[in-house]
Amino acid sequence: MFRRYFLITFLLLSAFLSGYSFRDLDWLKHESDHFVYLYHKEVASSIFQVEALAEDAFDTLSELFGNPFKEKITVIIGGYEDRSNGLANPVLESIYIMTVGMDYPYRNDGFWLEEVITHELTHLFQITSVTEFGNILRNYVSKAYLPNALQPMWLTEGFAQLGSELIGDLYEYDYRRLPFLLDQLMENEPFSEETVVTGFSGIGGESYYNYGYAFLSYLSETYGIESLLELVKVKRGLLGLTGIELAIKKVYGKSYEELKEEFIEYQIKKWEAAEVPFVYEFSRGVGEFVNHFRPKIYDGKLYYLSLDRQMKCYSLNIEGVEIFNSTMEIVDFAVFESEIALILFEEEQSETRLYFFREGKLERTKTAHLREIDYLGKDRLLVVRNNLGISSIEILSLRTERVTRIFTPLDPSTQIDNIRVSCDGSLIAFRINNKGDKSLAIYNSSTEKFGFFDVTNDFSIGGWVSEGFLISVKNEFGSDVYVVTSEGEMIGKSSFSRYVREPVMIADGVIAVGQLQGRKLLFSSNTKPTDYSLESKEIILSPPQEIEGVAYNGFSDWRFVSLLPFKGISVLFSDLTFRNKLLGGVSFDFETMLPGINVQLFSEDYLPVDFSLSLEYANLEPKALLNVYRRYRIDPKLSFGWKASLEYPLRIAGSLDAALEDSSTLYGGQASLNTLINVRDTQTATSNLVDVGINVDFDWNKHGFTIDSTIYSRVTFGEEPSIVPVELWGFRDDTNIVVGFSLDSDYVISRRGLNVMNLVHFSEEGIGGKIDFLIGSRFSWRIAIYKFETAFLYAAYPMHIKAGIMLENTRLLPYLDFELIY
């Protein structure tokens, strides 16, 4: 009895600890003229606004691109992830948006909902634009027919950014984006294809967003927006399958390279007098791919974060010395005496978690969904929390775990960020972004009163000094830094020639985060801007209008996706979320001259458990298989799962597994370890078999050199191990004890940056080798050597292509392997 209740309690606790997922929320559905909205009830107050924005964008985009949609577009709206996000899926004709906005350093910071909706809908309209015949193919053959998607990422994202500007004048190539352009103009080869296609730069993928937007804006201003719309029309036919070179030549009478040279020459002349800012000492000598950000002063010492972009490793530094590093993103930190509080992003659950770094050890807490923190004195933290899509400012007691909420906007469209606390904890400053209208809020904890001030330009709050909080405010192309008092007095301190954020004061000037070949700590002690006073304002918080929806049933709304060459010819349908899929088809065996039928139903992250059901009738034999499974994550490193299977002809199986995943820096590189232990019991009509398997993966990479290794072992207890054969690396074995080993190593020789007709881009090239063996009833082995290429094709999704020769069990064979990188 105790064991039974212990197991149930453990499962429930594990589900709770694993964080939110799609299945954990109650989803509703609402429809308007052109859209179907799916949303969890916690963000229901956003739907009225989302509908108005989406319908307005639909009208404008239909005028620009035409209306290719046979059915209503699906908009999935969530607030349970702790990151801003948006995704357009042209195959499903849907978009996914998060109501949680974010003050992003490389894009202008306006009304998040409007920006993400218009951006993703522009993706959808541009990529799905096809000819009339193409529409027939999409509606009745495959929605994956998308000739306009065969383009580099800068063109894809450039259209989406420009679309938001055309719809509602939401975007501009403003002072936040300008540093990337200025950085590139200093290069010998500005805007190299390796940068704007693969994101090989100090700002990563933002490089193709920013270049694409700047380049398309130039084409629009120079040749007219009609030329870009004509480019979409030309690409939507068969010519689009050749990439962009022929289409650009047809529309502009010039090649892409000629247009790019024009663009660069124009920008060089425009910005030739731009001033280069000073880099602070702790950022000097670091490369473009190591970024420094979020400086804070504690006890007279400078703390800051850094990101090694190539190694994907974050670190916390004090006065130029690293004191902590993590492969998880460090979102924010705060220091009080010898204690450091950290917010780390646990990517597996897309949620943030509060940690403490004490005496060289990292401690994980149960407090999640925080976005920013600062200490309010001993044992108290000021936090910005994501409450399923609505942000709030709270005081968290570390002793009693009591939470005191001090500010919550009733409208989820209102963003809160940039919280800062005075040294004595009496004043709290934060930024409010109400649909693009930004205000500075200062809260006096002793009087429990707020003061709200109107700041007409974009701004960022930094550190505390004796007079008040530092604040960086946009000037024409850069930022001015002031001290703002609790009464709204602005006292000028210094100016930066580029956009900076989060300023802090040191003895001889101001340090702030800016961009100069990657994010750096920049320094200024120059021009003091003019003093002035902010005007007080009143902020009225009122809940928005809500729309009542109906419960969403993922097994009643099916849509055609594509014909597939699977077991003959099959048709794939999915629900509006793509979490439930239905596949059905027919086949014909020309040897037996008999037809076959297959039906498969899949569900993942929708019901309390996941399942797959397969029914097949071929060669006069019926077959059926039902798999029910679920995985639970305890923390970022540990998870466990179970699976139950029922098969006809009769076979029943059940398994439990546990997985341990970890990653860290090792010998100057990043190492990751993944250990999976699986225990399974399989019952047939004549026998029973128990098998235990252990799989250990170890990977290590450093600056283009990678080692991937796997150790596998399995032991069975029973008389017929062939019931559950081992199939690994192309080998098969069915004895009681099987062990295997695989080692794969690559070395990057160069980054080629080679474009072929702007259809495919070759990035990294290198050489590698692989050895695999499996020992059981016999010794199976192979050794391969190969050359690899990283190719970007079809909306810049990269893949590793490996080609070479291999010796397999004394046979000399060709070796060819494809691996999608993400």
Side-chain angles (χ1 to χ4, degrees):
M1 182 70 70
F2 171 76
R3 292 179 180 178
R4 184 199 313 169
Y5 287 125
F6 175 79
L7 179 60
I8 294 173
T9 302
F10 185 62
L11 291 174
L12 291 175
L13 179 62
S14 302
F16 173 75
L17 291 176
S18 66
Y20 299 121
S21 71
F22 191 93
R23 80 170 92 241
D24 299 316
L25 303 168
D26 295 326
W27 290 85
L28 305 173
K29 183 174 79 168
H30 168 71
E31 296 190 40
S32 64
D33 291 341
H34 301 103
F35 296 92
V36 178
Y37 309 91
L38 303 182
Y39 54 97
H40 57 87
K41 62 181 181 180
E42 289 81 3
V43 298
S45 56
S46 299
I47 305 308
F48 181 82
Q49 202 163 62
V50 170
E51 178 183 330
L53 294 170
E55 289 291 349
D56 181 62
F58 185 94
D59 293 339
T60 304
L61 291 170
S62 295
E63 293 177 8
L64 292 173
F65 298 105
N67 178 10
F69 303 104
K70 180 182 177 182
E71 299 174 291
K72 291 182 179 181
I73 297 170
T74 303
V75 182
I76 303 173
I77 307 157
Y80 58 94
E81 295 183 47
D82 292 339
R83 274 291 180 268
S84 301
N85 199 6
L87 175 69
N89 191 326
V91 174
L92 299 181
E93 297 181 349
S94 68
I95 67 172
Y96 169 67
I97 63 173
M98 293 296 296
T99 60
V100 179
M102 186 166 66
D103 176 20
Y104 207 65
Y106 306 119
R107 304 181 205 174
N108 61 312
D109 185 40
F111 178 20
W112 165 251
L113 273 182
E114 189 171 19
E115 288 177 352
V116 70
I117 290 170
T118 55
H119 182 102
E120 302 306 336
L121 284 179
T122 302
H123 275 319
L124 213 58
F125 273 82
Q126 188 257 323
I127 293 176
T128 58
S129 180
V130 294
T131 61
E132 291 185 10
F133 177 72
N135 241 349
I136 295 174
L137 292 178
R138 280 186 53 78
N139 290 330
Y140 301 105
V141 179
S142 176
K143 291 190 181 295
Y145 175 73
L146 299 164
N148 254 303
L150 199 57
Q151 60 193 17
M153 206 65 167
W154 62 259
L155 189 57
T156 300
E157 297 301 343
F159 264 117
Q161 303 259 2
L162 189 62
S164 289
E165 178 184 318
L166 296 174
I167 292 170
D169 196 24
L170 303 176
Y171 280 146
E172 58 178 334
Y173 205 91
D174 69 344
Y175 85 131
R176 288 191 176 208
R177 289 185 171 94
L178 184 60
F180 170 72
L181 190 149
L182 297 177
D183 279 354
Q184 288 296 306
L185 297 180
M186 296 165 59
E187 300 279 355
N188 293 327
E189 185 184 355
F191 306 104
S192 71
E193 293 300 286
E194 186 68 351
T195 293
V196 301
V197 173
T198 73
F200 186 70
S201 76
I203 63 172
E206 281 300 308
S207 58
Y208 43 75
Y209 280 79
N210 283 351
Y211 168 73
Y213 184 26
F215 182 61
L216 293 193
S217 295
Y218 168 77
L219 294 182
S220 177
E221 293 165 5
T222 307
Y223 297 95
I225 184 61
E226 296 78 14
S227 69
L228 291 175
L229 298 179
E230 181 64 22
L231 180 63
V232 176
K233 291 179 181 178
V234 171
K235 285 178 75 275
R236 69 184 181 182
L238 293 178
L239 197 60
L241 299 177
T242 66
I244 66 169
E245 191 62 51
L246 296 180
I248 286 178
K249 190 76 173 179
K250 183 173 182 179
V251 173
Y252 293 99
K254 302 176 182 179
S255 69
Y256 163 62
E257 288 300 329
E258 289 173 323
L259 292 173
K260 184 177 177 180
E261 288 176 8
E262 284 183 10
F263 164 74
I264 293 172
E265 183 180 355
Y266 168 81
Q267 298 295 351
I268 288 175
K269 290 181 179 179
K270 182 177 180 180
W271 301 106
E272 59 185 355
E275 182 182 345
V276 179
F278 292 101
V279 177
Y280 189 60
E281 60 177 312
F282 295 145
S283 285
R284 292 177 196 155
V286 301
E288 180 178 5
F289 294 92
V290 177
N291 299 324
H292 292 172
F293 52 98
R294 191 148 284 188
K296 296 185 178 183
I297 299 288
Y298 293 98
D299 196 23
K301 297 178 181 179
L302 177 65
Y303 292 73
Y304 59 92
L305 303 175
S306 65
L307 161 65
D308 188 327
R309 186 173 292 278
Q310 287 184 303
M311 296 306 302
K312 299 179 181 177
C313 181
Y314 295 82
S315 62
L316 175 63
N317 306 270
I318 174 172
E319 299 289 330
V321 178
E322 179 185 289
I323 60 174
F324 169 75
N325 67 66
S326 171
T327 53
M328 290 188 287
E329 179 185 351
I330 305 175
V331 178
D332 198 6
F333 71 97
V335 181
F336 186 82
E337 296 177 348
S338 61
E339 184 172 88
I340 301 175
L342 298 156
I343 299 177
L344 300 184
F345 182 59
E346 299 179 351
E347 189 171 5
E348 297 82 0
Q349 295 295 134
S350 191
E351 70 179 24
T352 57
R353 179 79 54 171
L354 177 64
Y355 286 74
F356 289 101
F357 186 64
R358 301 179 175 116
E359 299 178 352
K361 296 181 180 179
L362 189 65
E363 302 173 16
R364 185 177 186 262
T365 75
K366 66 180 182 181
T367 304
H369 306 294
L370 305 185
R371 303 184 62 203
E372 293 187 23
I373 54 175
D374 208 355
Y375 270 101
L376 260 171
K378 188 173 181 58
D379 296 328
R380 291 202 308 164
L381 274 177
L382 183 72
V383 305
V384 176
R385 189 190 300 270
N386 170 26
N387 295 291
L388 286 170
I390 298 179
S391 297
S392 63
I393 295 183
E394 302 172 354
I395 297 174
L396 172 64
S397 171
L398 302 179
R399 283 186 179 179
T400 64
E401 299 183 359
R402 178 183 175 186
V403 172
T404 304
R405 191 167 294 178
I406 63 172
F407 185 82
T408 302
L410 301 178
D411 188 342
S413 302
T414 302
Q415 296 171 220
I416 307 169
D417 51 40
N418 251 189
I419 60 168
R420 293 294 186 272
V421 179
S422 63
C423 288
D424 61 0
S426 62
L427 295 177
I428 295 170
F430 56 95
R431 197 184 71 144
I432 300 174
N433 182 344
N434 185 20
K435 303 176 186 176
D437 179 26
K438 296 168 191 147
S439 305
L440 171 67
I442 296 181
Y443 174 73
N444 189 318
S445 60
S446 59
T447 63
E448 297 185 352
K449 292 184 178 180
F450 284 94
F452 300 103
F453 301 95
D454 187 25
V455 186
T456 55
N457 287 329
D458 186 38
F459 71 95
S460 171
I461 305 171
W464 166 263
V465 294
S466 58
E467 305 101 309
F469 294 97
L470 286 180
I471 179 174
S472 60
V473 183
K474 175 185 177 182
N475 59 31
E476 187 177 6
F477 300 118
S479 298
D480 292 327
V481 176
Y482 299 84
V483 171
V484 59
T485 69
S486 58
E487 291 77 31
E489 297 295 322
M490 300 284 284
I491 305 168
K493 288 297 179 182
S494 64
S495 292
F496 288 81
S497 59
R498 291 193 180 182
Y499 156 63
V500 297
R501 55 191 292 132
E502 299 166 331
V504 295
M505 186 79 71
I506 59 173
D508 53 351
V510 175
I511 299 171
V513 179
Q515 185 181 325
L516 183 65
Q517 303 299 330
R519 293 170 79 182
K520 300 275 197 302
L521 301 177
L522 303 181
F523 172 78
S524 174
S525 61
N526 61 4
T527 309
K528 177 181 176 181
T530 305
D531 298 352
Y532 67 98
S533 297
L534 297 174
E535 292 186 7
S536 297
K537 64 185 300 185
E538 183 180 1
I539 293 183
I540 300 175
L541 301 176
S542 57
Q545 181 177 348
E546 291 194 12
I547 292 178
E548 292 187 9
V550 297
Y552 172 68
N553 183 350
F555 297 101
S556 62
D557 287 310
W558 295 103
R559 289 192 177 179
F560 166 76
V561 178
S562 182
L563 292 176
L564 296 173
F566 177 75
K567 293 185 177 180
I569 296 294
S570 297
V571 183
L572 176 64
F573 298 88
S574 91
D575 79 322
L576 302 181
T577 70
F578 204 62
R579 286 172 166 81
N580 302 312
K581 292 170 280 291
L582 178 64
L583 184 68
V586 296
S587 62
F588 189 82
D589 190 326
F590 288 95
E591 293 184 3
T592 62
M593 301 301 289
L594 293 173
I597 301 174
N598 73 87
V599 178
Q600 297 188 39
L601 179 64
F602 308 88
S603 177
E604 187 172 14
D605 200 26
Y606 180 73
L607 297 173
V609 296
D610 303 323
F611 75 86
S612 63
L613 174 64
S614 173
L615 305 173
E616 185 176 353
Y617 186 80
N619 295 326
L620 302 179
E621 293 182 1
K623 294 181 180 179
L625 174 63
L626 173 64
N627 288 318
V628 181
Y629 51 95
R630 178 75 192 269
R631 179 140 223 97
Y632 305 89
R633 182 162 293 279
I634 307 301
D635 60 34
K637 299 180 181 180
L638 180 63
S639 65
F640 76 91
W642 58 266
K643 182 177 180 180
S645 300
L646 175 62
E647 187 175 353
Y648 179 84
L650 182 62
R651 174 188 293 207
I652 300 173
S655 66
L656 292 173
D657 68 77
L660 178 65
E661 305 167 78
D662 200 3
S663 60
S664 65
T665 56
L666 180 68
Y667 297 116
Q670 184 181 134
S672 62
L673 180 69
N674 188 331
T675 302
L676 178 68
I677 301 173
N678 186 80
V679 180
R680 175 176 50 184
D681 180 83
T682 305
Q683 176 75 55
T684 69
T686 58
S687 62
N688 182 68
L689 185 77
V690 175
D691 67 292
V692 180
I694 301 176
N695 195 93
V696 180
D697 290 328
F698 174 78
D699 304 332
W700 183 82
N701 71 84
K702 180 181 180 181
H703 304 307
F705 179 70
T706 63
I707 297 175
D708 299 332
S709 63
T710 301
I711 299 174
Y712 175 82
S713 64
R714 191 206 67 178
V715 178
T716 62
F717 303 92
E719 297 181 356
E720 297 185 40
S722 59
I723 295 175
V724 285
V726 173
E727 295 178 309
L728 279 176
W729 312 307
F731 306 134
R732 178 188 172 97
D733 205 290
D734 56 9
T735 54
N736 289 92
I737 300 177
V738 180
V739 295
F741 176 76
S742 175
L743 177 66
D744 192 345
S745 181
D746 293 348
Y747 178 69
V748 176
I749 298 174
S750 69
R751 300 189 72 98
R752 303 179 68 175
L754 174 64
N755 263 17
V756 179
M757 294 183 64
N758 284 296
L759 177 64
V760 59
H761 177 86
F762 292 100
S763 177
E764 294 179 336
E765 65 165 340
I767 56 175
K770 182 179 181 67
I771 179 171
D772 303 318
F773 64 77
L774 195 67
I775 303 174
S777 59
R778 63 182 184 276
F779 181 47
S780 302
W781 61 275
R782 70 178 176 188
I783 299 175
I785 56 173
Y786 53 82
K787 185 178 187 298
F788 70 83
E789 299 275 358
T790 303
F792 287 71
L793 177 69
Y794 200 75
Y797 288 110
M799 64 175 66
H800 271 317
I801 304 172
K802 300 177 180 180
I805 58 173
M806 68 177 175
L807 193 62
E808 181 177 299
N809 297 330
T810 70
R811 296 182 303 162
L812 188 63
L813 301 169
Y815 178 79
L816 187 64
D817 187 34
F818 298 90
E819 178 188 1
L820 191 65
I821 299 176
Y822 61 79

